Amino acid sequence: MRVLSRGGPTSDLFGQEDPLSRRALITGITGQDGSYLAEHLLALGYEVWGLVRGQANPHVSRLRKHIGDVQITTGDLLDQGSLISAVERVEPDEVYNLGAISYVPMSWQQAELTAEVTGMGVLRMLEAIRVVSGISPSRTPGRGQIRFYQASSSEMFGMVRETPQNERTPFHPRSPYGVAKSYGHYITQNYRESYGMFAVSGILFNHESPRRGAEFVTRKVSLGAARIKLGLATELRLGNLDARRDWGFAGDYARAMRLMLAQDAPEDFVIGTGQTQSVRELVEFAFRTAGLDWEDHVVHDARYTRPAEVDLLCADPKKAREQLGWEPEVTFEDLVTMMVRSDLRLLSGSARPEDEPFSPDHW
């Protein structure tokens, strides 16, 4: 059973311990979101731990080069026992479950693994917290319980029933990834209602950065524009240019994650900008930033079209704005400019450490 023993906590504005005495465990810490969240929590004075698979994980040294003072423990979202051991070892105040197979097209190729990691992995982490905390139907958690954040996704909305999408919009996922994320969302809700656990989900819309893996369309576009500008390529092949997304900056969204766990009561929140752009608009702006005309270089390739397309995703972040006080700080234009300039530095050999992408394989 978990016992907090790190001295007398002081209360902050949210009724929790002062961040200086708080300890966070992050799954998926070697991914884009995990890196920005770790930076944010460290800046607030947290002790930050990351969960990685295996002692020889090659992404840990890069993480430490970027982020600095992060401690590591081993565990796997496929292995219940390893998660229990990790929670027992770290004794976290907060657990952020960002680990997943997060590249949507891959979820059709590895549907079963996606279900196990992205869906059942959430259940295993919730169970680890419940077991270590000694929570049961007859014993509910008390003050100082471990707070749990689940990274839900706008892909759960899929074939949308209404626009924009808010916390009450029904789900209709259109990929194995979206289906797995929906399971993770509902099992988080179920543990909150069944056991009284402080467990929340952030339904995050698309959020990008220079650290995004090269397989994601935003990074594929910024890298493509940079390669063509530097004479390393002549064309960029893409799928559906008409799909519209609500794109924001990953660093802004990391702030929202922490704010959700700093509330007095657990609730789910939609996080997004409330604005949409098409893939075509993304391409046009990225190539313009590189001083290129996109129509001279971009080629449509049907191989990159999803089996079941999601045409439009747009957030209604009103609840997050009113209850969390959260607002995005980086505009779409600033985000694309940031990514293109970063990739120009990366490919020209003048890259800074923060320009390197983080691992797409981060559960």
Side-chain angles (χ1 to χ4, degrees):
M1 184 182 303
R2 174 177 178 271
V3 178
L4 290 176
S5 57
R6 297 194 294 279
T10 59
S11 178
D12 65 11
L13 292 176
F14 305 103
Q16 296 187 59
E17 293 176 49
D18 188 294
L20 289 173
S21 66
R22 297 191 71 75
R23 183 179 297 170
L25 173 63
I26 304 172
T27 74
I29 196 169
T30 61
Q32 169 193 256
D33 293 5
S35 71
Y36 280 110
L37 177 61
E39 280 184 328
H40 178 59
L41 295 179
L42 286 168
L44 292 175
Y46 277 65
E47 179 182 325
V48 176
W49 287 71
L51 183 84
V52 301
R53 289 177 297 146
Q55 295 285 349
N57 191 304
H59 306 298
V60 172
S61 59
R62 180 171 57 186
L63 174 74
R64 285 192 165 129
K65 180 176 70 172
H66 284 265
I67 310 304
D69 191 19
V70 172
Q71 301 190 63
I72 298 297
T73 190
T74 58
D76 192 329
L77 290 174
L78 296 173
D79 179 4
Q80 180 72 77
S82 74
L83 298 181
I84 292 173
S85 297
V87 174
E88 287 180 331
R89 178 188 179 193
V90 176
E91 291 188 312
D93 300 287
E94 299 169 3
V95 173
Y96 295 85
N97 186 47
L98 313 185
I101 295 178
S102 56
Y103 183 47
V104 176
M106 185 184 293
S107 71
W108 278 282
Q109 301 166 16
Q110 297 182 305
E112 182 178 357
L113 183 61
T114 299
E116 285 288 347
V117 175
T118 307
M120 290 295 292
V122 185
L123 171 63
R124 294 187 187 103
M125 182 53 79
L126 285 164
E127 269 293 283
I129 294 170
R130 187 190 67 79
V131 169
V132 172
S133 301
I135 299 169
S136 68
S138 61
R139 186 182 183 280
T140 57
R143 188 177 182 278
Q145 66 168 298
I146 299 173
R147 297 188 170 204
F148 175 80
Y149 170 85
Q150 164 59 16
S152 289
S153 168
S154 60
E155 288 285 333
M156 301 185 306
F157 295 121
M159 186 180 290
V160 297
R161 311 284 184 88
E162 60 185 11
T163 298
Q165 295 89 51
N166 60 39
E167 293 80 6
R168 297 175 301 279
T169 301
F171 299 150
H172 187 149
R174 298 266 284 170
S175 66
Y177 170 81
V179 172
K181 280 291 186 180
S182 298
Y183 175 83
H185 182 87
Y186 281 127
I187 200 65
T188 300
Q189 182 183 84
N190 182 260
Y191 269 58
R192 179 170 71 220
E193 295 175 355
S194 299
Y195 298 111
M197 293 172 63
F198 196 109
V200 306
S201 290
I203 307 174
L204 271 55
F205 281 63
N206 295 65
H207 46 287
E208 315 298 327
S209 76
R211 299 177 187 175
R212 179 57 98 181
E215 71 278 15
F216 289 84
V217 68
T218 47
R219 189 78 198 293
K220 186 175 181 180
V221 168
S222 65
L223 277 169
R227 286 192 180 106
I228 293 169
K229 178 66 175 180
L230 296 173
L232 304 175
T234 59
E235 68 176 24
L236 173 64
R237 307 184 77 85
L238 296 171
N240 181 11
L241 297 180
D242 296 319
R244 301 188 67 87
R245 293 292 186 271
D246 183 331
W247 276 301
F249 173 53
D252 286 341
Y253 291 51
R255 289 189 291 107
M257 297 176 194
R258 191 262 166 178
L259 288 171
M260 290 181 217
L261 292 194
Q263 300 304 293
D264 291 333
E267 295 185 52
D268 303 329
F269 290 87
V270 161
I271 303 296
T273 70
Q275 301 177 8
T276 67
Q277 289 82 24
S278 68
V279 176
R280 181 177 283 100
E281 290 171 301
L282 165 68
V283 171
E284 182 179 7
F285 191 83
F287 274 68
R288 189 190 314 148
T289 300
L292 301 168
D293 185 339
W294 73 276
E295 292 183 295
D296 293 337
H297 303 284
V298 175
V299 178
H300 177 263
D301 192 329
R303 291 177 301 173
Y304 297 113
T305 301
R306 295 183 181 186
E309 187 58 79
V310 175
D311 296 317
L312 171 64
L313 293 173
C314 180
D316 176 2
K318 179 181 179 181
K319 181 180 176 182
R321 183 172 59 250
E322 293 180 349
Q323 292 186 216
L324 302 180
W326 179 85
E327 294 274 4
E329 296 177 354
V330 177
T331 67
F332 171 77
E333 291 79 12
D334 288 343
L335 170 64
V336 178
T337 300
M338 177 198 312
M339 294 179 68
V340 172
R341 289 177 177 173
S342 171
D343 283 329
L344 284 168
R345 288 192 300 269
L346 182 68
L347 296 177
S348 66
S350 59
R352 300 175 300 185
E354 62 267 25
D355 296 328
E356 298 178 25
F358 278 69
S359 167
D361 173 18
H362 54 252
W363 82 83

